[in-house]
Amino acid sequence: MTTALADHRATQPAVRPAQRPAARPTAATVVTGIGVAAPNGLGTEAWWQAVLAGESGIRPLTRFDATRYPVRIAGEVPGFVDEDHLPSRLLPQTDRVTRLSLAAAKEALDDWGQDPATLPDYSAGVVTASSAGGFEFGQRELQALWSKGGQHVSAYQSFAWFYAVNTGQISIRHGLRGASGVVVAEQAGGLDALAQARRHIRKGSRLMITGGVDSALCPWGWAAHLAGGALSRTTDPARAYLPFDAAANGHVVGEGGALFVLESAHAAQARDARVHGTLAGYAATFDGPGTPRLADAARLALADAGKRPDEIDVVFADAAGERGADRAEADALAALFGPAGVPVTAPKTMTGRLLAGGACLDVAAALLSLRDQVIPPTIGTRRPADDCPVDLVTTPRHGMRLRNALVLARGRGGFNSAAVLSQGPGPR
């Protein structure tokens, strides 16, 4: 497992783009399955149509009574009936986040269109990202411990709360016994998981399920979100999350994310598979003292993909919704593309920030943007602040040739990750 990713990054020397050795030619890693669970749509196409229509999933909390809390809105996945997606034997041993993950994984595999049982043993694995694990399950069992005693604590508590639980349950349910793991890097973790899965494909794995789904919408999780100090206190869901806006005052949290099937372009071509796009480039950096390095992550990801800045047609922004962080991201984009030099969008304004699931949902949006040749909108923010010189897309933008998309993500504590998604399965 790679839960020590934070320690690894923190001890690595800064890598400048000019120092990066030339990459050896490698067969492309492509996406051949997508599964989505999001606050504005359950299932990939339902979610995508809601995004293009500008439909928000941010609304008053219903999962628990939030009336006594200073923040009472979030992005909740609607219409998810546990029994419709899981066999009854799994219900007692799974948290909400694992149930959402299992549903997204099944959709991704159905989209992939094959039976994993036909693959050689140990040739398929799972790498997911997580920020909270099964928080709601853990809260319930702690309440049982302190109110009733240890004999009332479920044996499933031993794993249902853990960061790796989604990886494990997906692997067990679908018989995926190959290389697997979990990464923990908050919002940036979803891109890190895709990169780890790509490494396994390059080492010979036939198939990887990867991505991230998070959910911590329970009183215990809510206390943690509030303690972070970055949640917007605005009560109007339409005005609470305004990235790049002069009125930005924090973000809204949500649940959900996206999972993908990755395989080599050669394997996809051999079976004439439908390819959603190519994971063409990736990089990660870690901020130094007073030194944001998001721009370095973006440059390195472009170098890994073999792309120039002028070949990027759209950026899916991290979009923190906090004035200082928004300015830092706008500065990073201006340094790479020039002021307002590339269309920038943040469809997460319709879902809230989904922790490990957020960047993966942006990857799904990037792939569908390349497919449909449309840039989805950012809602809420009507005009970027003067100190955020970005070409922010606020209505669906058609009529552009979209070939390559850049996805950016930052995690609490200094994580930065960037990924380049491209059309087609051709080699890098």
Side-chain angles (χ1 to χ4, degrees):
M1 295 180 184
T2 49
T3 53
L5 184 63
D7 293 337
H8 172 74
R9 288 205 210 176
T11 58
Q12 297 306 298
V15 179
R16 300 296 177 187
Q19 297 173 321
R20 185 179 183 277
R24 294 176 296 174
T26 307
T29 299
V30 298
V31 179
T32 51
I34 303 175
V36 166
N40 57 341
L42 182 59
T44 301
E45 291 302 331
W47 160 75
W48 182 236
Q49 293 309 310
V51 168
L52 294 180
E55 296 176 4
S56 177
I58 297 172
R59 56 182 67 90
L61 274 161
T62 63
R63 298 279 305 287
F64 64 95
D65 181 3
T67 55
R68 294 179 295 168
Y69 293 87
V71 178
R72 297 184 291 277
I73 60 173
E76 297 178 333
V77 175
F80 187 85
V81 179
D82 298 340
E83 292 80 4
D84 291 346
H85 299 277
L86 275 77
S88 59
R89 63 179 177 78
L90 284 180
L91 295 177
Q93 58 181 284
T94 51
D95 180 86
R96 166 85 167 187
V97 69
T98 302
R99 296 170 185 179
L100 293 173
S101 295
L102 287 168
K106 183 179 185 304
E107 184 190 10
L109 282 169
D110 288 346
D111 188 32
W112 175 63
Q114 304 288 307
D115 182 354
T118 63
L119 297 175
D121 286 345
Y122 308 105
S123 67
V126 186
V127 176
T128 66
S130 177
S131 298
F135 241 60
E136 189 172 11
F137 197 106
Q139 174 186 306
R140 185 173 65 247
E141 299 310 314
L142 283 174
Q143 287 175 317
L145 172 65
W146 292 110
S147 64
K148 300 178 182 179
Q151 68 272 26
H152 294 278
V153 176
S154 169
Y156 298 125
Q157 168 65 7
S158 61
F159 62 80
W161 69 272
F162 189 44
Y163 301 101
V165 65
N166 297 338
T167 291
Q169 290 284 16
I170 293 168
S171 175
I172 292 168
R173 190 177 191 191
H174 297 287
L176 308 175
R177 297 185 291 169
S180 297
V182 62
V183 296
V184 182
E186 211 250 352
Q187 189 87 5
L191 299 185
D192 298 339
L194 267 70
Q196 183 73 348
R198 185 177 70 162
R199 294 185 191 105
H200 287 307
I201 294 294
R202 289 175 170 178
K203 291 177 181 178
S205 292
R206 289 278 296 274
L207 174 146
M208 296 296 298
I209 295 181
T210 187
V213 175
D214 253 323
S215 177
L217 303 184
C218 61
W220 189 22
W222 208 240
H225 290 309
L226 289 169
L231 292 189
S232 170
R233 301 299 177 97
T234 302
T235 57
D236 179 1
R239 300 295 297 165
Y241 182 24
L242 303 172
F244 303 111
D245 195 300
N249 67 349
H251 69 270
V252 175
V253 73
E255 64 177 358
L259 294 174
F260 307 94
V261 173
L262 265 58
E263 59 185 311
S264 74
H266 296 325
Q269 290 166 349
R271 63 184 185 86
D272 196 25
R274 179 182 62 180
V275 172
H276 293 289
T278 302
L279 178 55
Y282 160 84
T285 59
F286 200 85
D287 293 341
T291 308
R293 298 196 59 224
L294 180 63
D296 285 343
R299 291 190 189 96
L300 288 165
L302 264 64
D304 184 48
K307 304 295 182 185
R308 304 183 308 270
D310 63 357
E311 293 179 284
I312 297 299
D313 304 302
V314 59
V315 173
F316 288 79
D318 174 69
E322 189 275 323
R323 293 289 289 124
D326 287 346
R327 283 194 297 268
E329 184 168 22
D331 290 345
L333 292 171
L336 188 58
F337 300 104
V342 63
V344 175
T345 189
K348 59 171 63 73
T349 49
M350 295 172 241
T351 64
R353 291 175 69 83
L354 310 183
L355 304 178
C360 294
L361 203 59
D362 281 344
V363 167
L367 293 169
L368 297 176
S369 291
L370 298 177
R371 181 194 74 181
D372 295 346
Q373 295 291 288
V374 56
I375 301 175
T378 303
I379 68 168
T381 302
R382 301 185 181 97
R383 177 180 176 274
D386 291 340
D387 56 3
C388 293
V390 296
D391 175 16
L392 194 66
V393 177
T394 56
T395 59
R397 188 174 294 184
H398 301 266
M400 296 180 59
R401 184 185 177 196
L402 302 178
R403 304 155 298 172
N404 304 294
L406 174 66
V407 177
L408 300 178
R410 291 173 292 188
R412 184 180 296 274
F415 298 104
N416 305 292
S417 294
V420 176
L421 288 305
S422 300
Q423 286 183 317
R428 293 197 301 112

